[in-house]
Amino acid sequence: MIYIKNRSEIEKMRKAGRFAARLLNYIGQFVKEGVTTLELNDLCEDYTRKHGHTSAPLNYKGTYPKSICTSINNIVCHGIPKSADVLKKGDIINIDVSPRVDGYIGDTSRTFKIGKVSPEAEELVELTQKAMWVGIEQVKPGNRISDIGNAIEEFLAPKKYGIVRDLMGHGVGKNFHEEPQVPHFKTNRKLAKIEPGMIFTVEPMINLGTWEVIFDKKDKWTVWTKDGKISAQFEHTVLVTEKGYEILTLDE
């Protein structure tokens, strides 16, 4: 069941989204060579707590152990911050933050480059961000959820990248993951109509090689590319308005 937010809930989601954007912008200044992903996690947790909020990922489903997700190179998503993971020149890293503000969750992520990266990585990061915006442009009443993924795959088709199929965008509100699921690849199914008051994420995960992924059997969270090639991701939380969309995870 897709939950349509009312005016009060939308305003709370705006507040959560703005804080998520500020948090991601804040941590961005620390993303550099020699920093560990655990340090980034702890900085985000401290910043969130100092502002009176909590980190939705922390203890999510009783098993996720940290406050943010840090996914380096061939980790697609849900990478767990560790003291052993030291950022190196040439790495790319997706940082995914999801603070809970007054009971509502803002969800956003960005892929950062550590120093000079390879031309392949540079292009992958650039086109993944553009693909997110191509998908977001399909968000308007009268369109369908499937139009988002169709547009993204059509845009990326010339590059023959792998668009991850096992993980998708999702509705968000009081709950971390709600309906609808939002695929970022082409589907022949007519998915739900897009209606005003829907709030969901658009967050394509794009691999340099195959779309196939491996789920870590030990930590139950980390998702790797099957062929070991790098992956990039960008994410915004989007509100459907009467005429189009509003990005909730922007820092005004």
Side-chain angles (χ1 to χ4, degrees):
M1 179 178 175
I2 299 175
Y3 188 61
I4 304 297
K5 272 68 173 180
N6 60 36
R7 288 184 180 180
S8 174
E9 291 171 311
I10 289 170
E11 190 51 46
K12 289 176 181 177
M13 285 296 294
R14 285 193 178 107
K15 184 178 178 181
R18 284 194 296 269
F19 182 76
R22 287 198 294 272
L23 176 60
L24 192 58
N25 286 338
Y26 164 77
I27 201 58
Q29 65 188 306
F30 301 101
V31 182
K32 58 186 70 175
E33 185 180 3
V35 174
T36 71
T37 55
L38 183 59
E39 289 176 298
L40 297 176
N41 175 85
D42 294 348
L43 285 165
C44 282
E45 176 64 13
D46 289 346
Y47 185 90
T48 300
R49 288 189 178 186
K50 284 177 181 177
H51 286 82
H53 310 312
T54 59
S55 302
L58 187 59
N59 296 320
Y60 181 61
K61 294 188 175 180
T63 60
Y64 192 79
K66 298 298 177 183
S67 302
I68 63 173
C69 297
T70 51
S71 303
I72 303 174
N73 295 331
N74 62 327
I75 299 177
V76 176
C77 63
H78 304 161
I80 299 173
K82 299 180 180 70
S83 60
D85 287 342
V86 183
L87 296 181
K88 304 183 299 297
K89 188 181 298 182
D91 284 342
I92 61 172
I93 177 173
N94 177 268
I95 298 179
D96 194 338
V97 302
S98 307
R100 187 184 296 274
V101 178
D102 298 335
Y104 289 80
I105 298 169
D107 194 2
T108 186
S109 84
R110 186 185 309 160
T111 296
F112 297 85
K113 297 172 289 187
I114 311 303
K116 184 174 178 59
V117 301
S118 70
E120 285 182 323
E122 187 81 43
E123 186 174 43
L124 176 67
V125 171
E126 178 185 349
L127 292 182
T128 299
Q129 185 173 30
K130 286 183 178 178
M132 176 192 67
W133 287 111
V134 166
I136 288 173
E137 288 298 326
Q138 296 299 312
V139 178
K140 53 188 172 184
N143 275 5
R144 292 184 177 271
I145 293 295
S146 45
D147 292 325
I148 297 170
N150 292 347
I152 289 173
E153 184 160 335
E154 184 175 338
F155 169 71
L156 291 174
K159 297 306 298 182
K160 302 188 184 304
Y161 289 146
I163 304 173
V164 174
R165 294 170 175 263
D166 295 306
L167 301 126
M168 307 181 195
H170 53 88
V172 61
K174 279 188 173 181
N175 300 306
F176 209 153
H177 294 93
E178 303 176 350
E179 291 296 326
Q181 286 193 317
V182 182
H184 304 108
F185 52 89
K186 190 170 290 187
T187 174
N188 293 324
R189 295 180 297 144
K190 283 189 176 181
L191 301 181
K193 286 185 178 180
I194 296 174
E195 300 180 33
M198 286 183 175
I199 295 178
F200 50 77
T201 67
V202 177
E203 49 177 308
M205 288 156 267
I206 311 300
N207 301 343
L208 189 62
T210 178
W211 62 267
E212 295 178 288
V213 299
I214 298 172
F215 292 80
D216 194 298
K217 293 181 180 179
K218 291 183 180 180
D219 67 33
K220 309 296 184 185
W221 283 104
T222 308
V223 182
W224 308 81
T225 58
K226 187 175 181 179
D227 58 10
K229 294 184 178 180
I230 59 173
S231 181
Q233 181 189 15
F234 286 83
E235 173 186 17
H236 273 309
T237 298
V238 183
L239 163 68
V240 184
T241 65
E242 294 293 335
K243 295 184 179 180
Y245 65 85
E246 176 185 338
I247 306 294
L248 298 183
T249 42
L250 290 176
D251 186 9
E252 296 181 349

